[in-house]
Amino acid sequence: MIRNYLAIALRNIRQNPLYSFINIFSLAIGLAACLAIYLFISDEKSFDTFHKQKASIYRIDEVQNFSGTNEQKVALSMPGMGPNMVLDFPEVATFTRFWGAKRLLKHNEDQFLLENVATVDSTFLGVFDYALLAGDRATALNEPWSILLTEETARKFFKDPVGAVGNSITMREKEYKITGILKDVPENSHLQFDGLVSMTTVTREEKEFNNRWGSNFLNTYLVLQPNTDIKSLEAKFPEFMIRHTGEKDINQFITLFLQRLDQVHLGSTDIEHDYHNYRKFNGSYLGVFSIVGGFILLIAGVNFMNLTTARASHRWKEIGVRSSVGAGKFQLFAQFIFESIMLAMLALVLALLLDAILIPFLNRLIGRQLSFLSFFAEPMGVIALMAMTILLGMITGIYPSFYMTSFKMSSVLKGGGQTERTSIFRSTLVVVQFGLAMAMIVSTLIVVQQLSFMQHTDMGFNKDQIMLVDMNRDVNEKFVTLKEELLKSRFVQGVTASGQRLGNNFHQWSFKVKTDTGILQITPSNVNVEYDYLKVYGIKLIEGREFSRDNKMDAGFAFIINESFAKELKLKETIGAPAGHSWYKDDSLGTIIGVVEDFHFNSLHHKINTLSMVVHPDWGYDEVSIKIDGANAQQAITEIKNIWSRNVTYPFNYSFLDEHFDTLYRSDQQMSSVVTIMAALAILLSCMGLFGLVTIAVAKRIKEVGIRKALGASEREITLLLSRNFMLLILVSFVVASPITYSLLTQWLEGFAYHIEINLLVFLTGGIVALAIALLTISYHTIKASRENPVKALRYE
Amino acid sequence: MSKIIETHNISKVYKMGDNIVNALQSVSMSIDRGEYVAFMGPSGSGKSTLMNIVGCLDSPTDGTYMLNNQMVSEMTENELAQVRNKEIGFVFQTFNLLPRASALENVALPLIYAGYGKSERNEMAMAALESVSLADRWHHKPNELSGGQRQRVAIARALVNNPSIILADEPTGNLDSKTSYDIMWLFQELHDKGNTIIMVTHEDDIAHYAHRIIRLRDGLVEWDRKNDNVNRRPAEVAAAH
């Protein structure tokens, strides 16, 4: 029986290559898209899953609500939190802190600037399961001045990385003993580091470090006891904070909350100062991707159902003959289901081939290392894939199978079959299909517009051609000379420095301003800048003056604030108002010397916060900002590197500010890429389905076309006649899809503090594009039919 | 009488793979307004090809064709469509009615392409249905009508635009004998009212309802003669109507 089914199915494929191609290819595209999305989602969801205690690990985060600043969630915590929570709460089994920083490591003549050398508690390797190649994970982080290097880092200094244990390495003029070699940190770890330093190094030097409160600058992870009630534990935090900070109103400003480890990578989009969250991704986009993948598969399934039912009449005779020789309805039903499963399996093979070819391109586009081979990594994966495909074949085959086995045998054998009426079901499917395609076209247009808005909105400063180079103490000390040398280059247009990089929310520090009524406490964002910061970045001064080297008080006692801050202060005269950081004495405050136009120092996801800028060379800067001649970028880099090497020993490690901003919108950019690809696939699949349907519809109406032509219908009238129904369906799709799409896109845009307004013309454009593509698709058949000699059609029976 | 159809040396050549088929070879003829002509001939004689050319459904490979003083052999496809609409009423062997349209809608179809408004179309279509005694069946779909009734709807459709000629291709081919005679008598009445009728048939008996018979063989006119022995409706049948 199965062999018979197989033979019939293969014969059908051979006899109807066009429909078989459309069916198999569209299912294959649908499956390939879904598999790619599945790989993407699995990759994102795999983050931090390799830690055995993952379900019990939580990160301490804060909601900060300081006066004069926007409420914000931050991933930072205070040093005292972890050690005291483990003492105070039986629910907390253990904790570890993670305090990462860029560090220069030296061994003999070799020195390398490492992106992240984290100071962690001795419990770190007990909490997290980062593999150790050498050393004892129980004791490796116990002693002060102990360091663990990743294999890649160790290889930079030692020929045999594993054998490096026991050697010393220098960091910040101190000798550290290498107590272990870590396997390189997996790509799917939100914490990335090149080395780990024992926290006892810090506590040995600063005895009170574990009871330090006030500043939030590190990450704390807790391991909770099984079955801990998170809400009731969080409810204890306010009292805990008052007890340890000694501030009764601390909870007005800071609310602690726990974030489960699996939420850190995917659920931290609204969390700021989240410096150690590698490839942070907006988890809600995964839902969008799943839905989009489902849509694509649905469109492909619709093609299958539509084409199979539309071509049912071609198989009436076969059904009748089989029935007359004794085939039961169930057997016929099983035969058709078998055929659709077989087509789905063929589609799966094609889908895997497509993925094998296209996933490397996709990886390049979205910056991932997805591999379709991961489907075959486990037997269960292969089985699941097969099972899903069989299910897909069954689901898409059920309706056509019911439809085809519902004919009356007597009429089938007479050649009549069922009366062909306009199928409401088929029309509905076309409406759904084009509605989805249209929704995706419109979504693509809006997403692209929003991204373009973000890329091209005037940020209020110049972010192009700004090169950022890491600084250390040595570079800070030689900064004045270095700057002079750099400015001599014809490729350098400006040089400045800052303590924090634009594009991130700057740290909030308490600030005070003397007003007529007393001292006003406020917590704006703060940044330590060099004198020429405003000039180099093109930040517009609207009141007062810029920082000046000539004015000695400008070093530490002059503040330039932004417009939002000025508005918040509501002073009659902002310029000249006494002001300073919280630790300045009330009688020795500095002065507000200028107000600048608001500029987006954070990404456009966030509203502009109040900001204060100060020049404080003693604190040191983190990065030099060099504005280069964009027309000669390569020469500029080479020359700057030479000047750098002549003046300082610190490695020349540079990046560009516009690239940094690109990374801030990476999630959005990737969503845009996925939606664009999916929209293209949706329209391609819909058109393939439409092409097949029109082929069938025109073939069925060929005689009518002949009659109408014989009676005087022109080519234009015939084309219009054949296109009318499809145009009507697309119009219905437009009407149904537009409000739903509008609502979803509005929700998405609300995630951006600064966003475009949806122009309804975009919907019209989407509708017109879909209609135009659909008309183009069907025009091949409609125009061909309208030009056909009516004699042929009238002879057609 | 004025000439309504005039062909001069028209030929039609079909290419079928490597073979060239001369369906018509230099056929010249003329038909006067008000004539009732039958094209006869065996299968493959070229009678259907000639009818298609005369009906402006096809163009000759060579030669000229004048229809009602218009040189149709040089017209474009859309111009031919207009000529078909205004000058020719078709009656087909297989009726060629639209299955989902009512009798009235089928009859009104040529009027749509002639640019008439809906009410005028319905009025004219109703009158045409009355002329074939089917006014009471105007709302019936083709599958609700008998073969003879369907053909009468087709005839009403052919008449509705008041064309210069009625072109009937094997009009009785799908009908039983009695119904065939009914249709022939209807054609007789139309001819008596002054309509020009050209009928293609391979049945000698049916051809003899026409007043002139042109016999074709192998794409050539074998003979073209007046029918002195016209079949007419028996007087008692006519009286019964």
Side-chain angles (χ1 to χ4, degrees), chain A residues 427-483:
Chain A
S427 301
T428 310
L429 291 182
V430 173
V431 167
V432 170
Q433 200 173 37
F434 266 85
L436 293 174
M438 221 172 316
M440 283 201 244
I441 292 174
V442 173
S443 303
T444 304
L445 293 175
I446 296 288
V447 170
V448 168
Q449 271 186 14
Q450 173 64 18
L451 287 179
S452 166
F453 168 78
M454 292 195 290
Q455 278 158 1
H456 299 109
T457 290
D458 181 10
M459 300 292 282
F461 64 90
N462 182 9
K463 69 175 160 59
D464 298 323
Q465 321 302 347
I466 298 275
M467 185 194 240
L468 303 167
V469 193
D470 289 318
M471 297 171 82
N472 70 344
R473 195 184 300 166
D474 176 46
V475 181
N476 269 286
E477 282 164 6
K478 295 171 182 162
F479 180 71
V480 177
T481 318
L482 180 68
K483 182 174 174 174

Side-chain angles (χ1 to χ4, degrees), chain B residues 87-140:
Chain B
E87 306 285 355
I88 303 162
F90 288 97
V91 178
F92 299 100
Q93 178 183 358
T94 52
F95 324 130
N96 283 338
L97 300 175
L98 300 185
R100 277 183 256 168
S102 68
L104 187 76
E105 286 164 341
N106 265 295
V107 174
L109 199 56
L111 301 173
I112 294 174
Y113 303 117
Y116 287 94
K118 191 172 183 185
S119 58
E120 207 174 353
R121 283 203 309 259
N122 285 349
E123 208 173 295
M124 289 167 77
M126 205 58 170
L129 279 172
E130 267 168 25
S131 73
V132 295
S133 310
L134 276 179
D136 56 335
R137 301 291 171 95
W138 67 270
H139 56 288
H140 286 225

Side-chain angles (χ1 to χ4, degrees), chain A residues 422 703-704 707-715 717 789-791 794 797, chain B residues 52 57-58 77-78 81 84-85 90 92 94 96 98 100 109-110 113 157:
Chain A
T422 308
K703 187 148 190 167
E704 181 187 339
I707 295 167
R708 287 180 186 271
K709 281 199 80 174
L711 297 178
S714 66
E715 287 177 7
E717 283 162 329
N789 189 334
V791 176
L794 294 173
E797 288 298 325
Chain B
N52 288 338
L57 291 168
D58 209 350
E77 191 47 50
N78 279 336
R84 286 197 295 269
N85 183 255
F90 288 97
F92 299 100
T94 52
N96 283 338
L98 300 185
R100 277 183 256 168
L109 199 56
Y113 303 117
R157 184 178 64 187

Side-chain angles (χ1 to χ4, degrees), chain A residues 327-552:
Chain A
K329 269 206 167 170
F330 177 76
Q331 283 164 314
L332 287 170
F333 187 81
Q335 180 196 324
F336 291 125
I337 288 283
F338 180 85
E339 279 181 27
S340 85
I341 290 173
M342 207 190 87
L343 288 178
M345 294 304 276
L346 288 173
L348 174 67
V349 174
L350 190 57
L352 288 171
L353 277 173
L354 284 173
D355 275 344
I357 298 165
L358 298 176
I359 279 180
F361 292 100
L362 187 71
N363 281 338
R364 232 172 291 162
L365 188 71
I366 60 173
R368 291 289 191 283
Q369 284 119 40
L370 309 178
S371 167
F372 94 106
L373 291 175
S374 59
F375 291 122
F376 307 104
E378 290 174 29
M380 271 314 288
V382 180
I383 292 167
L385 204 58
M386 301 280 275
M388 290 288 285
T389 310
I390 289 170
L391 191 68
L392 176 71
M394 288 177 78
I395 291 170
T396 50
I398 281 174
Y399 176 71
S401 304
F402 267 123
Y403 182 77
M404 291 205 280
T405 52
S406 64
F407 302 148
K408 279 185 188 160
M409 195 181 78
S410 54
S411 61
V412 157
L413 283 173
K414 273 186 217 155
Q418 268 202 343
T419 314
E420 277 289 308
R421 280 166 307 209
T422 308
S423 163
I424 293 174
F425 183 73
R426 216 177 297 147
S427 301
T428 310
L429 291 182
V430 173
V431 167
V432 170
Q433 200 173 37
F434 266 85
L436 293 174
M438 221 172 316
M440 283 201 244
I441 292 174
V442 173
S443 303
T444 304
L445 293 175
I446 296 288
V447 170
V448 168
Q449 271 186 14
Q450 173 64 18
L451 287 179
S452 166
F453 168 78
M454 292 195 290
Q455 278 158 1
H456 299 109
T457 290
D458 181 10
M459 300 292 282
F461 64 90
N462 182 9
K463 69 175 160 59
D464 298 323
Q465 321 302 347
I466 298 275
M467 185 194 240
L468 303 167
V469 193
D470 289 318
M471 297 171 82
N472 70 344
R473 195 184 300 166
D474 176 46
V475 181
N476 269 286
E477 282 164 6
K478 295 171 182 162
F479 180 71
V480 177
T481 318
L482 180 68
K483 182 174 174 174
E484 277 170 15
E485 291 297 311
L486 285 168
L487 285 172
K488 284 179 192 165
S489 165
R490 63 190 172 98
F491 300 117
V492 174
Q493 294 168 352
V495 177
T496 189
S498 64
Q500 293 168 82
R501 182 184 291 191
L502 284 163
N504 302 321
N505 195 1
F506 295 142
H507 291 297
Q508 280 88 47
W509 302 328
S510 276
F511 198 84
K512 50 190 173 186
V513 180
K514 194 182 255 179
T515 66
D516 297 339
T517 52
I519 297 288
L520 175 74
Q521 294 282 350
I522 197 163
T523 313
S525 297
N526 292 271
V527 62
N528 175 24
V529 299
E530 193 265 347
Y531 291 99
D532 293 329
Y533 193 76
L534 301 189
K535 203 179 295 161
V536 172
Y537 278 103
I539 297 165
K540 286 180 198 142
L541 191 77
I542 50 174
E543 214 182 334
R545 64 171 178 86
E546 294 189 11
F547 296 114
S548 166
R549 274 177 209 84
D550 301 333
N551 195 333
K552 279 188 179 172

